[in-house]
Amino acid sequence: MAPSSLPMFQQRVEQQLQHLLASKIPKTSLLYDAMAYSLLLGGKRIRPYLVYAVGQLLGAKLEDLDAAATAIEAIHCYSLIHDDLPAMDDDALRRGKPTCHIAFNEATAILAGDALQALAFEALCDHAYIQVTPSRQLAMVKALARAAGASGMCAGQAIDLAHTNQQVALTTLEQMHRLKTGALIECTVQLAYYASPIDAPTVLADLRQFADALGLAFQVQDDILDIESDTETLGKPQGSDVKANKSTYPALLGLQGAKQKAQQLYHDAIAALQRLPYDTTELQHFAHYIIARKF
Amino acid sequence: MAPSSLPMFQQRVEQQLQHLLASKIPKTSLLYDAMAYSLLLGGKRIRPYLVYAVGQLLGAKLEDLDAAATAIEAIHCYSLIHDDLPAMDDDALRRGKPTCHIAFNEATAILAGDALQALAFEALCDHAYIQVTPSRQLAMVKALARAAGASGMCAGQAIDLAHTNQQVALTTLEQMHRLKTGALIECTVQLAYYASPIDAPTVLADLRQFADALGLAFQVQDDILDIESDTETLGKPQGSDVKANKSTYPALLGLQGAKQKAQQLYHDAIAALQRLPYDTTELQHFAHYIIARKF
């Protein structure tokens, strides 16, 4: 069961992404088209949801969360465009539609990814915040840059590339996912925290533990769905991990072991939420939604 | 004649780039190697020079300029890596050495570029400034994001790609260069300004006009050198623009016309400098060096 706030925040971020593109990018270019195509292709908008839901929990104004929600999705989107490139994972289908380099061309896809990364940082800085101080804005930019770069998401993709067609140990798999997917998911709660009036390091620490467990749970569930779901529901070819000889949790732990792992991570996420001095019911629903999802 | 401060600032930025990589990026990875290979490959370091020279002119502390100098070079370097890719300009040689995707592989080159972009923003935010306020730090991040993105450098590269194997009008060529190279060069003076104690919009306006003329002069001279210099001096194949059927100033204006254009831009740059209430002798030498250079 999805939390009741999910559709609301999904709708909000769609509008904000459209507004961001329209306000910052010259419209009359192939580059704009490629950026808009990929950024507005839909998707679950999990990262923006977390920014809004966690920020709201901490008393942030929704208007102060829009920049972070769009910035994190722009980074995620650029990473998908580049990961799909022929030199990387060589994927032709994403969310049921042709990937950016198929719909346009490779050069434009590389460039659209590059420009979306810059747009993310522009969005974070060039926003009319109501209650966020310049110091905390800077903390947001710093958190995003670290999460996106060579000690975060890019490092994870590098580990992934280095082990293509190899089975890796569980520790390597976990490190890869913590960087490749986890870093950005953990970043959502940092962005939400800095956009809020809260100044309590223990709150941030608990939120990061929640996000860390949730991010890994998301990935384990992804691996499980690659086996159990079908192409139409997934929007990408079912069994593509197995076909690409990728290391996955089911491959290392067995399907049952992977399901237990997902449950364990779910409970870790809930435990972290319960340490917070807030009503975290919505976020608990969201954590459940993540590991119970079928797509 | 190069300005006397050029070797000093070149040396300073080399050290700062090494320090940046060592302090922010995990060393034990192919990704680190590829980033270091490209970032420390040398080059004229024109952009960092401008940050330091203009910043010093405005009374900024050199320590407060290091982040901007390294950030702008990291962005420039990532753009070179991506521009050299097979899907883009497909260049095998850069500064006399194999390009990143030749020395490593294509996926690693894409990723190294992506990570260098993130590193630039991390460098700008995560720096122990002495006199720069958070508001002006944010102005720096915003200026860099705009200059690098889809209304700056990426837009220029998109225009370039759209006109491959076509002769374009002079206005299009100029717009392309103003975005592809000019945006970052203009950004150097913005970064230097925000890192300084000066708060005088007319100073910033004059500096931007200087940088705009200088950036275009640099490009015109580049086009001239592609005809007049040789492969060894250039560190890239002589005549490659002509071979790629690229639009250039000499192609549109004739060699003599291009040289006149470079002179005109040089004089525009000097005139802008002379409007500033400072001793701009060093920067005037630099402008002369740019249009008199042979490599």
Side-chain angles (χ1 to χ4, degrees), chain B residues 1-116:
Chain B
M1 184 187 66
S4 58
S5 55
L6 184 58
M8 183 180 78
F9 289 144
Q10 281 171 335
Q11 207 182 339
R12 187 177 179 105
V13 80
E14 292 306 323
Q15 285 171 353
Q16 290 296 323
L17 288 169
Q18 281 171 20
H19 174 71
L20 179 67
L21 279 172
S23 63
K24 305 277 187 213
I25 313 291
K27 255 194 180 169
T28 53
S29 71
L30 194 67
L31 182 57
Y32 175 90
D33 294 341
M35 292 170 77
Y37 175 82
S38 297
L39 196 56
L40 307 176
L41 196 57
K44 294 177 281 292
R45 309 302 194 193
I46 283 172
R47 293 155 193 81
Y49 171 78
L50 282 168
V51 170
Y52 284 126
V54 173
Q56 202 172 40
L57 191 74
L58 302 178
K61 294 197 175 296
L62 284 183
E63 294 85 345
D64 279 352
L65 297 164
D66 289 329
T70 52
I72 199 95
E73 193 67 5
I75 292 284
H76 174 55
C77 178
Y78 115 68
S79 79
L80 297 182
I81 296 174
H82 282 190
D83 284 3
D84 286 338
L85 286 168
M88 298 270 208
D89 295 348
D90 196 14
D91 280 320
L93 209 58
R94 166 77 63 185
R95 295 171 183 160
K97 296 218 178 121
T99 46
C100 189
H101 66 276
I102 299 286
F104 295 85
N105 58 57
E106 225 180 301
T108 304
I110 295 169
L111 216 47
D114 291 345
L116 280 169

Side-chain angles (χ1 to χ4, degrees), chain A residues 82 114 122 126 142 146, chain B residues 82 114 122 126 142 146:
Chain A
H82 281 191
D114 290 345
E122 191 180 346
D126 197 13
K142 185 170 145 184
R146 284 194 70 82
Chain B
H82 282 190
D114 291 345
E122 190 180 346
D126 195 15
K142 185 170 145 184
R146 283 194 71 81

Side-chain angles (χ1 to χ4, degrees), chain A residues 25-26 78 82 87 106-107 111 114 117-118 121-122 125-126 134-135 137-138 141-142 145-146 149-150 154 157-158 161, chain B residues 25-26 78 82 87-88 106-107 110-111 114 117-118 121-122 125-126 134-135 137-138 141-142 145-146 149-150 157-158 161:
Chain A
I25 312 291
Y78 114 69
H82 281 191
E106 222 180 303
L111 216 48
D114 290 345
Q117 177 164 200
F121 291 104
E122 191 180 346
C125 295
D126 197 13
S135 295
Q137 281 182 53
L138 274 175
V141 181
K142 185 170 145 184
R146 284 194 70 82
C154 286
Q157 176 68 359
L161 285 169
Chain B
I25 313 291
Y78 115 68
H82 282 190
M88 298 270 208
E106 225 180 301
I110 295 169
L111 216 47
D114 291 345
Q117 178 165 199
F121 292 104
E122 190 180 346
C125 295
D126 195 15
S135 295
Q137 281 181 54
L138 275 174
V141 181
K142 185 170 145 184
R146 283 194 71 81
Q157 176 68 359
L161 285 169

Side-chain angles (χ1 to χ4, degrees), chain A residues 162-192:
Chain A
H163 296 94
T164 303
N165 280 316
Q166 282 176 40
Q167 291 300 314
V168 299
L170 190 60
T171 49
T172 309
L173 185 71
E174 208 137 298
Q175 193 205 5
M176 191 262 282
H177 287 314
R178 280 214 151 88
L179 293 167
K180 187 174 169 171
T181 326
L184 270 203
I185 291 188
E186 208 182 306
C187 185
T188 63
V189 303
Q190 294 175 270
L191 296 178

Side-chain angles (χ1 to χ4, degrees), chain A residues 166-234:
Chain A
Q166 282 176 40
Q167 291 300 314
V168 299
L170 190 60
T171 49
T172 309
L173 185 71
E174 208 137 298
Q175 193 205 5
M176 191 262 282
H177 287 314
R178 280 214 151 88
L179 293 167
K180 187 174 169 171
T181 326
L184 270 203
I185 291 188
E186 208 182 306
C187 185
T188 63
V189 303
Q190 294 175 270
L191 296 178
Y193 173 82
Y194 291 122
S196 84
I198 302 295
D199 189 2
T202 56
V203 166
L204 181 58
D206 285 335
L207 283 169
R208 291 179 77 162
Q209 282 169 29
F210 156 69
D212 177 61
L214 184 77
L216 220 44
F218 178 82
Q219 200 54 57
V220 178
Q221 183 63 14
D222 236 32
D223 287 357
I224 293 168
L225 287 174
D226 189 66
I227 294 172
E228 290 198 330
S229 192
D230 56 75
T231 300
E232 200 184 340
T233 311
L234 286 175

